Amino acid sequence: MANFSHYPLQKSIYQTLTGDTELMALLTGVFDRPPQGTAFPYVTLGESIGSDWSTKTTTGTEQLVTLHIWSREGGRKEAATIMERLHTLLHQADLSVDGQDLVSIQFASSGITLETDGYTYQGIMRFQALLEATS
């Protein structure tokens, strides 16, 4: 297992999100880095923090994954609606992660803030994932 690789989990999350027609009907896209001029609303894959979660018998990592929700819909409702769908798709999901076994993925925290431009709302969601090396 690539203990310090965040990409396999990111790839699985991306595929799960972009494969959901209900979520994609709410968004213009899901991006690692959105192209300049991307229309709102959209989701970006944000920070990923990993730490060792190994035991005497298994090798594993804990990853805290952040998703950013971007909206300009005159209030928090649009961001909140998107966040509800993200929670439905990822909390306790059974994701397939290349080279790793996903033990669990759990919702950890969220928030919605108004950016300094006074128009853009940013939702932030964090999910905690526990992964083990495949045998």
Side-chain angles (χ1 to χ4, degrees):
M1 173 171 127
N3 278 339
F4 300 105
S5 176
H6 296 259
Y7 182 70
L9 179 60
Q10 176 183 329
K11 179 180 172 185
S12 181
I13 290 171
Y14 176 83
Q15 290 171 337
T16 298
L17 300 184
T18 58
D20 183 71
T21 56
E22 188 174 331
L23 176 66
M24 296 311 294
L26 300 172
L27 305 173
T28 62
V30 176
F31 305 98
D32 189 5
R33 178 178 171 183
Q36 190 169 3
T38 298
F40 292 85
Y42 59 88
V43 170
T44 56
L45 303 170
E47 304 77 18
S48 181
I49 300 169
S51 59
D52 186 41
W53 185 67
S54 299
T55 66
K56 287 183 179 183
T57 58
T58 61
T59 301
T61 60
E62 174 185 17
Q63 294 184 26
L64 187 62
V65 177
T66 304
L67 300 175
H68 297 272
I69 298 84
W70 301 95
S71 171
R72 285 199 174 156
E73 183 65 34
R76 291 173 171 79
K77 182 179 179 182
E78 183 177 63
T81 300
I82 293 166
M83 292 167 76
E84 288 173 16
R85 187 65 189 156
L86 293 171
H87 183 276
T88 297
L89 291 171
L90 295 177
H91 178 67
Q92 298 182 345
D94 184 20
L95 305 179
S96 176
V97 180
D98 292 340
Q100 303 172 43
D101 288 327
L102 179 68
V103 176
S104 67
I105 184 165
Q106 304 285 327
F107 168 75
S109 66
S110 67
I112 301 174
T113 60
L114 179 62
E115 295 293 294
T116 57
D117 66 5
Y119 299 102
T120 307
Y121 286 91
Q122 180 185 182
I124 299 172
M125 294 186 79
R126 291 187 178 88
F127 292 86
Q128 176 192 32
L130 300 177
L131 300 133
E132 290 180 346
T134 52
S135 304

